[in-house]
Amino acid sequence: MLGRAIREQPRIFAVAVTGSVLFGLMVIASAYVVGAVVGKVVVPAVARGSVTDGALALAAAALFGISVLRVVGIFGRRLGAGYMQYRLQATYRRRVTRRYLDLPLAWHHRNATGTLLSNANSDVEAAWYPIAPLPFAVGTLVMLVGAVVSLFLTDWALALVGLAVFPALFALNVVYSRRMAPRQARAQRLRAEVSGIAHESFDGALVVKTMGREAQETARFAARAGDLRDALISVGKLRGVFDPMLETLPSLGTLAVLVVGAIRLRQGAITVTELVSVAFLFTVLAFPVRAIGWVLAELPRSVAGWDRVRRVLDATGEMPYGEVALDPATPAPATLAFDDVHFGYEPAEAHLPGAQVLGEVTFTVPAGKTVALVGPTGAGKSTIASLAVRLVDPDSGTVTLDGVDVRELTAASLASTVALVAQVPFVFDDTVRANITLDRPGIGDEEVWAALRLAEADGFVAALPEGLDTMVGERGTSLSGGQRQRLTLARALAGRPRLLVLDDATSAVDPRVEAAILAGLRAPTDGGAPASILVVAYRRATIALADEVIYVEQGRVVARGTHTDLLATVPGYADLVTAYEQAEQEREQTRTYDEVTPLTSGLEVEVDR
């Protein structure tokens, strides 16, 4: 990990280490300058009872010069280390996010959103947290080598004290790191779990509140947060044990130097200057040596975070795009064809068998035509829609646009040719305009209003307080369900796709409005050419507008033909459509009743569809 960081940011690391080495060398130099000042200025001055101005000026200049160089070293070390750490964190946040976008939906289905958020945030931060003290630790190693050499040049007995203290510090740090590793790994995992539970609870706030599950969700979050608290307390306890030991060893070394140094001084082996220099050196080494401990202390958490980040970066299953581009100037509707398509979702766990969803699916959506997909729940209709826009790839068989396998198309060509309006509309916490344009080039206000008219959404948008500049709130909370659906439909239409895939995209819209939308899509105004349409439909009125109906059961195409023909020849289709129609009539009756029933005297409710 540390090697990867250095290889990715070698120049910044070199600046930081240079500053740290300069600081370390100045620490050693300061010890010997202080020793020289004591031995050659202070002691003679005490003996004479006076001090010369020249000696004081020289001592002050030496100490000031060393201090300036130490400041320069600290500045270079901290600036380089901080820049390196934050740059790596930003780089890997982008890489993780980019990887999320490359991986298929099947991979995302197996990973909780809270965990993915933790990977891109706290795990990335943890992975590169040791980078801040790393240059300091490298400079400290250089300083320690220099200190040991200077000790041997001073006196072999004092050097042996250093050789005893420094390895003991390293050994203590290694023991500390090994004991800390499992604690930090557990804490990092619990951080992701707490984030996941919080995200799930907030995202499902409507369900939590309507089901009266606030207390249970609070208890579930509190239990996992308590586990995280206990894990972090365990980390703190271990630090509480080892930190005093790491602080004490250099102090013991200083005491040993004074004892051994006093004996050597009495023997005449060293001078007062040398004794003071070595004692001071051990005193000032205490803090820099801690930098090595900081790196080793953070490595367990860092490794735990890196393992979680690497799991994302090393994940397989991305769907590479091809190099074929359909002619963007072609205004004609596209032709979609499924040829003997089989598809099965990967299991959530590797040891479990996958679920086969589609088999032998073959049909065509001719250019400019509307084809309706009809079938019972779980028949594979949404999967067919996902295959049509290449959210997933078939296990076998081909899906083609204008005769070209969608796997061979470039990403830009696919996005400009086909658009999906999903079953559950997603609206960004932004303005109406931004939700429709998505910063796509060539979509101005004129194109936005044209798309809104096609989606039968221009009326309610014009009535909003600030029109296109109205903020719609997170997930479009200020809009009704039908308004959100029409807004997402307008978003798709603004790009003028040649194939439009509607996955039950107008279920929350009044049937009359839905019929107007589909009629407009079949022959759009505002200068646009009609698009081919593949629509997952339930309502009889919607199905009747289709040029052809594809009836699917258990992942297979059972029948195809016009709505009238299938009603007469396929009992399962007739029963399903009749059941849908009866359910729709009941909903309409309930809606009509709610619209005219007064809640209070003189007050009637008008339902915003």
Side-chain angles (χ1 to χ4, degrees):
M1 269 188 56
L2 299 181
R4 176 188 291 266
I6 295 169
R7 288 193 301 272
E8 292 200 14
Q9 304 291 335
R11 294 182 180 178
I12 301 175
F13 181 73
V15 170
V17 169
T18 300
S20 182
V21 170
L22 177 62
F23 170 80
L25 294 177
M26 290 304 101
V27 167
I28 297 174
S30 66
Y32 283 91
V33 169
V34 168
V37 169
V38 172
K40 297 182 179 180
V41 177
V42 177
V43 172
V46 171
R48 290 194 308 267
S50 63
V51 62
T52 61
D53 292 338
L56 278 179
L58 183 61
L63 291 173
F64 179 76
I66 288 175
S67 297
V68 169
L69 291 176
R70 286 179 65 176
V71 168
V72 171
I74 292 172
F75 180 78
R77 182 194 79 220
R78 290 191 174 182
L79 181 64
Y83 195 84
M84 182 179 178
Q85 180 186 27
Y86 297 135
R87 191 169 184 176
L88 282 167
Q89 289 176 350
T91 298
Y92 275 84
R93 280 196 184 97
R94 289 193 295 267
R95 290 182 185 179
V96 168
T97 304
R98 180 71 257 176
R99 193 63 185 150
Y100 286 160
L101 298 176
D102 289 338
L103 289 166
L105 285 179
W107 185 87
H108 287 272
H109 292 159
R110 298 193 302 269
N111 294 273
T113 303
T115 300
L116 302 185
L117 290 173
S118 179
N119 291 154
N121 188 30
S122 64
D123 289 335
V124 169
E125 285 188 359
W128 303 117
Y129 202 78
I131 298 304
L134 178 61
F136 196 8
V138 173
T140 299
L141 289 175
V142 174
M143 182 176 63
L144 289 178
V145 172
V148 170
V149 171
S150 64
L151 286 175
F152 272 105
L153 293 176
T154 302
D155 183 66
W156 64 267
L158 296 179
L160 291 179
V161 175
L163 290 179
V165 172
F166 298 151
L169 279 171
F170 279 112
L172 189 59
N173 275 312
V174 169
V175 173
Y176 175 46
S177 178
R178 288 183 177 178
R179 297 225 176 165
M180 183 64 77
R183 290 173 170 82
Q184 289 283 24
R186 182 170 184 269
Q188 198 65 18
R189 175 177 56 81
L190 287 171
R191 282 188 179 95
E193 293 182 10
V194 168
S195 174
I197 293 174
H199 179 274
E200 191 174 54
S201 295
F202 301 154
D203 208 33
L206 180 63
V207 175
V208 172
K209 296 191 75 65
T210 56
M211 292 295 188
R213 302 293 297 174
E214 295 95 332
Q216 289 79 2
E217 282 299 300
T218 301
R220 185 165 73 105
F221 180 83
R224 190 56 72 210
D227 291 340
L228 177 58
R229 174 204 61 206
D230 294 341
L232 293 175
I233 288 175
S234 176
V235 169
K237 286 181 178 178
L238 191 63
R239 279 183 173 167
V241 171
F242 276 87
D243 278 357
M245 298 171 66
L246 292 171
E247 291 284 353
T248 301
L249 268 179
S251 300
L252 292 176
T254 303
L255 181 61
V257 164
L258 291 175
V259 172
V260 174
I263 297 173
R264 298 292 289 169
L265 182 63
R266 188 180 302 119
Q267 295 173 347
I270 60 174
T271 64
V272 172
T273 297
E274 292 171 331
L275 176 58
V276 172
S277 296
V278 173
F280 186 78
L281 181 61
F282 269 78
T283 301
V284 296
L285 279 179
F287 174 72
V289 167
R290 294 290 289 119
I292 301 173
W294 295 334
V295 173
L296 294 177
E298 292 299 334
L299 280 181
R301 179 187 172 194
S302 176
V303 170
W306 174 246
D307 285 342
R308 296 169 63 83
V309 170
R310 189 172 57 184
R311 185 181 65 85
V312 176
L313 298 179
D314 293 344
T316 58
E318 70 273 16
M319 299 186 297
Y321 290 95
E323 299 180 356
V324 178
L326 299 176
D327 186 0
T330 302
T335 298
L336 172 70
F338 278 63
D339 183 14
D340 194 26
V341 170
H342 294 72
F343 177 79
Y345 286 106
E346 296 181 12
E349 299 181 28
H351 65 278
L352 298 177
Q356 188 69 26
V357 178
L358 301 177
E360 301 177 358
V361 173
T362 300
F363 69 89
T364 301
V365 179
K369 299 298 183 180
T370 298
V371 173
L373 274 176
V374 181
T377 301
K381 304 182 296 298
S382 293
T383 302
I384 291 175
S386 297
L387 286 162
V389 297
R390 209 194 167 206
L391 291 179
V392 292
D393 282 335
D395 297 333
S396 63
T398 57
V399 179
T400 61
L401 284 172
D402 289 344
V404 180
D405 192 322
V406 293
R407 289 170 288 199
E408 298 176 4
L409 294 175
T410 64
S413 183
L414 184 64
S416 63
T417 302
V418 59
L420 169 70
V421 185
Q423 192 172 17
V424 179
F426 183 86
V427 180
F428 294 94
D429 185 9
D430 209 329
T431 64
V432 172
R433 179 187 289 104
N435 266 284
I436 294 175
T437 63
L438 296 183
D439 290 330
R440 289 174 289 181
I443 303 180
D445 283 1
E446 184 178 345
E447 288 76 16
V448 169
W449 282 113
L452 288 170
R453 282 191 290 272
L454 278 176
E456 295 289 326
D458 56 320
F460 83 79
V461 171
L464 292 174
E466 298 180 53
L468 294 178
D469 294 316
T470 302
M471 297 292 295
V472 298
E474 186 177 4
R475 294 182 177 268
T477 51
S478 65
L479 305 176
S480 68
Q483 288 172 339
R484 287 196 295 271
Q485 284 194 333
R486 282 179 277 172
L487 196 63
T488 54
L489 177 59
R491 175 196 297 159
L493 294 172
R496 296 188 179 278
R498 297 169 54 214
L499 170 67
L500 188 62
V501 181
L502 306 177
D503 185 5
D504 193 24
T506 53
S507 59
V509 176
D510 183 278
R512 293 182 295 275
V513 176
E514 181 186 39
I517 291 173
L518 291 177
L521 293 178
R522 288 167 61 88
T525 56
D526 300 302
S532 307
I533 301 174
L534 175 64
V535 54
V536 176
Y538 295 91
R539 294 169 174 169
R540 182 189 289 260
T542 306
I543 299 170
L545 290 173
D547 298 294
E548 185 180 28
V549 178
I550 306 294
Y551 180 57
V552 293
E553 284 185 353
Q554 298 181 350
R556 296 179 183 273
V557 176
V558 176
R560 58 194 305 165
T562 64
H563 170 61
T564 304
D565 292 341
L566 294 184
L567 275 179
T569 59
V570 183
Y573 175 82
D575 292 342
L576 184 66
V577 172
T578 302
Y580 286 153
E581 188 173 27
Q582 290 175 349
E584 185 63 31
Q585 288 174 351
E586 292 176 0
R587 285 195 295 269
E588 282 298 306
Q589 290 172 357
T590 302
R591 185 182 291 118
T592 302
Y593 176 79
D594 290 340
E595 288 175 349
V596 300
T597 301
L599 292 179
T600 60
S601 178
L603 175 65
E604 292 186 355
V605 178
E606 180 181 352
V607 176
D608 178 6
R609 298 186 187 278

